[in-house]
Amino acid sequence: AGRAPALHCPADGVSQVTVRDALNQGLDEELERDERVFLLGEEVAQYDGAYKISRGLWKKYGDKRVIDTPISEMGFTGIAVGAAMAGLRPVCEFMTFNFSMQAIDQVINSAAKTCYMSAGSIAVPIVFRGPNGASAGVAAQHSQCFAAWYGHCPGLKVVSPWSSEDAKGLLKASIRDDNPVVMLENELLYGVPFEMSEQAQSKDFVVPIGKAKIERQGSHVTLVSHSRPVGHCLEAAAVLAKEGVECEVINLRTIRPMDIETVEASVVKTNHLVTVEGGWPQFGVGAEICARIMEGSAFNYLDAPAVRVTGADVPMPYAKILEDNCIPQVKDIIFAVKKTLNI
């Protein structure tokens, strides 16, 4: 279900690259470009990363640039935040963002607020990255989406890639940014191949933070999503197109700052809005999008209430059949589109 849409024969200079390899490429290029950049986290060095994102980097850059840490998120996140304040540019990997709860004081109270509280005199250029949201069969303590949690907090930037191009471009942009950035990846996308252009594979390629991407043009309904559910939206759009319904699919890419202008422009065109996310419904990313649309001029163009498709409002069950029913599926998106279009 996390697959990329069906791909045709690659054009000249276009390659199939997995999200894992795109992230590895981005890290490699930034470590090489700027000696202030370093990576730390559990098993990122000698083991090549729990998900092999940092494969080969320890051998290439050594102990001072790729650092294995103890299983102590509060400790190594604090070290990373202090290093950023001192002028380095750390990339702090959480084996899963569920474990970032151990370090949330460092992320929110130290990293996010220091620039503001120092009147701009202390920058904290740090990237917190790792897998976010539901994986498969790992139950409630390993399956939360933290987009709404971190997107709630001023002082942070929050990015959420879907494709290989998103992953590489947003990672490089995040490392170069002078603000703390939370990068929410998805474990189930790591092995998924996407087409990457020659330009996207160049060392100069970045995806600007705060800019959404229209993945598919459409005229009947706007689908807004981020991370893995973008793929579900594209699959749903392909099914609906056979029934004469053209969906415009927007890949948010960034949760904070949110590119609401792109969403508004699409809603003005389609007059219908469906948001799709893997997180819980209450105070979620979809809730924020709906509120922003209602508060702005695009609200006058809506011909039906906006509809949210979200994860179920329960801790994630372990059983596969229950897990499947807790995560938005393609059929749920199709149902929501038909509901809002009254068909």
Side-chain angles (χ1 to χ4, degrees):
R3 295 188 309 273
L7 300 173
H8 309 293
C9 293
D12 289 342
V14 175
S15 309
Q16 293 270 352
V17 180
T18 64
V19 171
R20 174 182 288 109
D21 289 341
L23 289 165
N24 180 266
Q25 196 178 96
L27 277 170
D28 189 8
E29 289 169 7
E30 293 305 297
L31 283 161
E32 184 178 67
R33 185 187 67 84
D34 188 342
E35 63 181 14
R36 297 172 298 173
V37 176
F38 70 98
L39 173 67
L40 80 167
E42 293 148 359
E43 297 184 347
V44 298
Q46 295 187 37
Y47 188 66
D48 279 341
Y51 299 99
K52 304 301 176 232
I53 304 299
S54 51
R55 186 176 53 229
L57 299 181
W58 173 66
K59 284 183 180 170
K60 184 172 181 180
Y61 296 101
D63 289 326
K64 289 190 176 179
R65 305 288 303 283
V66 183
I67 303 168
D68 277 330
T69 65
I71 302 174
S72 176
E73 279 75 14
M74 185 186 292
F76 70 73
T77 306
I79 288 169
V81 171
M85 291 177 181
L88 299 178
R89 303 185 85 87
V91 178
C92 178
E93 178 179 307
F94 296 120
M95 198 179 288
T96 150
F97 259 94
N98 297 272
F99 303 156
S100 75
M101 291 293 91
Q102 299 292 327
I104 199 163
D105 181 61
Q106 306 285 6
V107 178
I108 304 301
N109 282 328
S110 296
K113 297 175 182 174
T114 293
C115 184
Y116 174 82
M117 293 179 73
S118 67
S121 63
I122 303 174
V124 189
I126 185 170
V127 179
F128 305 101
R129 54 155 295 273
N132 168 71
S135 178
V138 290
Q141 292 178 336
H142 300 76
S143 298
Q144 296 153 93
C145 174
F146 289 90
W149 292 59
Y150 287 118
H152 181 62
C153 302
L156 291 176
K157 293 185 178 181
V158 183
V159 299
S160 181
W162 168 59
S163 66
S164 299
E165 179 183 301
D166 292 350
K168 182 186 175 186
L170 286 170
L171 177 58
K172 287 170 73 76
S174 300
I175 291 171
R176 297 179 187 190
D177 202 289
D178 287 334
N179 299 281
V181 182
V182 172
M183 182 162 174
L184 303 169
E185 300 155 14
N186 188 290
E187 178 187 337
L188 296 176
L189 288 174
Y190 283 153
V192 177
F194 290 84
E195 280 188 2
M196 275 185 85
S197 65
E198 204 169 346
Q199 178 202 1
Q201 292 182 70
S202 78
K203 292 186 178 182
D204 300 321
F205 177 75
V206 293
V207 169
I209 294 173
K211 191 77 186 101
K213 182 185 179 186
I214 298 174
E215 298 285 354
R216 180 186 176 118
Q217 297 280 349
S219 54
H220 295 128
V221 61
T222 299
L223 293 176
V224 187
S225 191
H226 67 95
S227 191
R228 185 168 172 255
V230 173
H232 294 132
C233 287
L234 288 168
E235 288 182 47
V239 173
L240 287 160
K242 293 173 184 172
E243 300 179 32
V245 176
E246 291 299 330
C247 301
E248 182 144 297
V249 178
I250 297 177
N251 173 9
L252 274 180
R253 284 179 159 178
T254 305
I255 307 301
R256 185 184 186 103
M258 189 177 283
D259 182 5
I260 206 67
E261 293 79 15
T262 295
V263 180
E264 284 179 328
S266 180
V267 168
V268 166
K269 180 169 73 170
T270 68
N271 311 116
H272 298 89
L273 173 64
V274 174
T275 67
V276 184
E277 64 189 306
W280 293 313
Q282 191 156 316
F283 313 115
V285 174
E288 176 65 19
I289 294 167
C290 292
R292 296 270 196 102
I293 293 300
M294 187 181 155
E295 290 165 355
S297 59
F299 175 71
N300 298 313
Y301 291 84
L302 280 177
D303 288 343
V307 175
R308 290 180 293 159
V309 179
T310 71
D313 197 20
V314 296
M316 182 63 71
Y318 172 70
K320 185 176 185 339
I321 191 164
L322 295 177
E323 181 181 72
D324 288 345
N325 280 286
C326 280
I327 300 169
Q329 308 291 338
V330 173
K331 62 180 173 58
D332 302 316
I333 300 167
I334 293 169
F335 178 82
V337 168
K338 289 184 174 180
K339 177 182 174 184
T340 192
L341 293 174
N342 199 25
I343 56 175

